[in-house]
Amino acid sequence: GAVVSQHPSRVICKSGTSVKIECRSLDFQATTMFWYRQFPKKSLMLMATSNEGSKATYEQGVEKDKFLINHASLTLSTLTVTSAHPEDSSFYICSAGGGTQYFGPGTRLLVL
Amino acid sequence: AQSVAQPEDQVNVAEGNPLTVKCTYSVSGNPYLFWYVQYPNRGLQFLLKYITGDNLVKGSYGFEAEFNKSQTSFHLKKPSALVSDSALYFCAVSTLGGYQKVTFGTGTKLQVIP
């Protein structure tokens, strides 16, 4: 199947700082990518749909000014958690694809 | 609105025995159904999908799933479980393959006992 990468795999930051997470489709072009958040032992919560060349579509309850998404090319989408707080600590996963969504390995964010 | 239910938080099965992980769905229109597996601290790996055609879908690692329209179910099965199958399994539904957002179930932890 298609390969999706994420970077970094793990990040620890201080409260109040911003963190950028990259999601790349390695062997295909993706006009649409999805960002999810997963809490321990919980399902994936869709945060937003990232659209290449246009604004992201956020799910209800997700703060667009806090979770900035940029999809500047057909192979790269970035999620920036701005002014991170401990409650933002989570596992963030991106996906991309057409008929089947392929997932990145995830990014573990810990905000101290 | 579309939804997926995985009624079991955990399924325990002895190695070598058949396994079933249950999934039911609700969607308007024709469903696209998926199964994914997640190992600890990892992303999701695609196992199989149903779009149309044969109700029995075969996927990776010997897994298969049966689409039952009347029961709105898409249970995951494997004839003989391996210890290495122990992981978290997610069922998911969409109405346009992966082109529109995919709704996931809450996940079922599969524990294969040696």
Side-chain angles (χ1 to χ4, degrees):
Chain A
V3 179
V4 177
S5 70
Q6 276 184 247
H7 178 80
S9 58
R10 181 184 297 264
V11 58
I12 301 173
C13 69
K14 293 182 179 180
S15 184
T17 61
S18 295
V19 174
K20 180 184 287 188
I21 302 170
E22 293 184 348
C23 177
R24 293 182 185 274
S25 56
L26 298 185
D27 51 2
F28 66 101
Q29 295 182 330
T31 56
T32 302
M33 293 183 175
F34 299 91
W35 285 97
Y36 295 84
R37 182 173 177 176
Q38 185 179 32
F39 295 94
K41 300 181 180 180
K42 294 288 186 182
S43 186
L44 281 74
M45 181 192 79
L46 178 66
M47 298 175 65
T49 302
S50 173
N51 304 299
E52 189 269 335
S54 65
K55 292 182 179 180
T57 303
Y58 290 82
E59 295 299 300
Q60 190 173 9
V62 178
E63 298 176 62
K64 62 181 181 180
D65 293 330
K66 180 168 186 61
F67 298 99
L68 299 179
I69 291 174
N70 183 276
H71 195 152
S73 78
L74 288 171
T75 59
L76 173 65
S77 174
T78 60
L79 168 68
T80 301
V81 183
T82 63
S83 186
H85 291 286
E87 57 265 31
D88 298 324
S89 299
S90 192
F91 193 54
Y92 293 87
I93 307 176
C94 70
S95 73
T100 299
Q101 286 295 309
Y102 292 95
F103 286 79
T107 298
R108 174 74 60 190
L109 171 63
L110 177 61
V111 184
L112 302 176
Chain B
Q2 58 195 34
S3 65
V4 176
Q6 292 182 244
E8 303 154 316
D9 286 339
Q10 181 160 335
V11 170
N12 296 322
V13 63
E15 186 178 22
N17 282 4
L19 70 86
T20 299
V21 183
K22 296 180 180 178
C23 170
T24 58
Y25 66 91
S26 175
V27 68
S28 299
N30 294 322
Y32 292 73
L33 295 156
F34 306 84
W35 276 101
Y36 289 87
V37 60
Q38 184 181 33
Y39 295 96
N41 295 310
R42 304 291 292 276
L44 275 67
Q45 296 180 29
F46 170 74
L47 280 180
L48 52 81
K49 68 179 177 183
Y50 170 84
I51 296 178
T52 186
D54 195 348
N55 289 343
L56 184 63
V57 179
K58 294 187 181 298
S60 306
Y61 313 118
F63 284 94
E64 59 188 28
E66 186 167 13
F67 172 65
N68 188 316
K69 187 174 183 178
S70 63
Q71 296 185 2
T72 60
S73 67
F74 190 57
H75 301 329
L76 180 70
K77 300 181 180 183
K78 187 173 182 179
S80 178
L82 300 173
V83 174
S84 57
D85 293 331
S86 299
L88 189 57
Y89 290 80
F90 289 99
C91 181
V93 68
S94 176
T95 53
L96 197 64
Y99 294 96
Q100 290 189 358
K101 66 180 181 181
V102 178
T103 300
F104 285 85
T106 52
T108 298
K109 181 179 180 180
L110 174 66
Q111 190 73 40
V112 181
I113 304 165

